[in-house]
Each structure stands twice: as structure tokens, then as C-alpha cells.
Amino acid sequence: QVQLVESGGGLVQAGGSLRLSCAASGRAFSTYAMAWFRQAPGKEREFVGAISRSGITTYSADSVKGRFTISRDNAKNTVYLQMNSLKPEDTAVYFCAAGLRLSNPNMPYTYNYWGQGTQVTVSS
């Protein structure tokens, strides 16, 4: 079992930056691959990025490539999402997720545990 708590969301102007954090507790953090998803009102949950257990391999959605970076610090049991050049269409609740294997990193069913989410709002 692992518990996930996101933080770092907020209101930012278009073109600005935010860094989200997801702190994990419970079973050894380094045994989990991690991911970020987002969900805007009235839309399905959307994959943003994923990172392997070691942090060596990362995946990003096309919509955020070159703007968002996922990273992790296994010593701190934390995964991060650095978001730059934010756009109004990035507005959503952002969730972190943990799974034992990155069989299909962009699919929600890959992940067993989810945080409660943090709101990101980008104004134009």
C-alpha cells in the first residue's frame, strides 16, 4: 500500500511556471513507477508523463513535450512535475499515480494508487 499527496498547484498566468510535488508514504517508493495525469472539467483523465522506478526512463504526452518535465527523488519519496510555458488549456486537476510496472505508461489502469489531486489554473 502507498499513499500519495500532491501539492504545488495554484493560479498562474499563461507563460508562467509551476512545480508540482507528490509525496509518497507506505511501501518502498523506489519499487513504484510513477505518473502524472490531469483531468479538466467534463473531460476524461489524460496522461501527462511517467517515470520508471529508477528515474532513468521517462515518457511524456505530446501535448506537454518540451514544456513539462517529470522527475523523482527516491531518497525523498517524491515525484515532481516541472511545468513551464503554461497555457490556459493546461488548466485541470493534476493527479499523481503509482504502479508496479510501466506496461502501458499512458493508461490509467497501469496504476494501482492515486492521490487526491491538486488544482492548476492558468489564466490567459
Side-chain angles (χ1 to χ4, degrees):
Q1 192 92 6
V2 63
Q3 293 77 42
L4 304 173
V5 179
E6 302 95 336
S7 62
L11 174 64
V12 63
Q13 288 189 331
S17 298
L18 282 174
R19 188 176 82 155
L20 305 183
S21 299
C22 174
S25 60
R27 185 179 167 179
F29 177 69
S30 61
T31 65
Y32 288 92
M34 300 296 296
W36 287 95
F37 285 76
R38 65 187 182 186
Q39 189 165 18
K43 295 189 176 181
E44 292 187 354
R45 194 161 294 193
E46 175 189 20
F47 172 75
V48 175
I51 188 165
S52 63
R53 288 173 287 184
S54 65
I56 292 175
T57 304
T58 61
Y59 306 84
S60 293
D62 288 344
S63 59
V64 305
K65 274 181 182 174
R67 300 188 300 123
F68 291 11
T69 302
I70 187 170
S71 63
R72 67 189 295 162
D73 185 338
N74 286 345
K76 294 183 178 179
N77 289 1
T78 303
V79 63
Y80 303 98
L81 184 67
Q82 178 66 45
M83 305 187 294
N84 299 327
S85 302
L86 282 159
K87 305 175 181 180
E89 51 263 44
D90 294 318
T91 295
V93 177
Y94 283 71
F95 299 89
C96 70
L100 290 174
R101 289 181 179 82
L102 277 180
S103 51
N104 289 286
N106 61 326
M107 300 304 292
Y109 62 68
T110 296
Y111 306 94
N112 308 99
Y113 303 102
W114 293 80
Q116 293 299 306
T118 185
Q119 176 71 47
V120 172
T121 304
V122 184
S123 63
S124 57

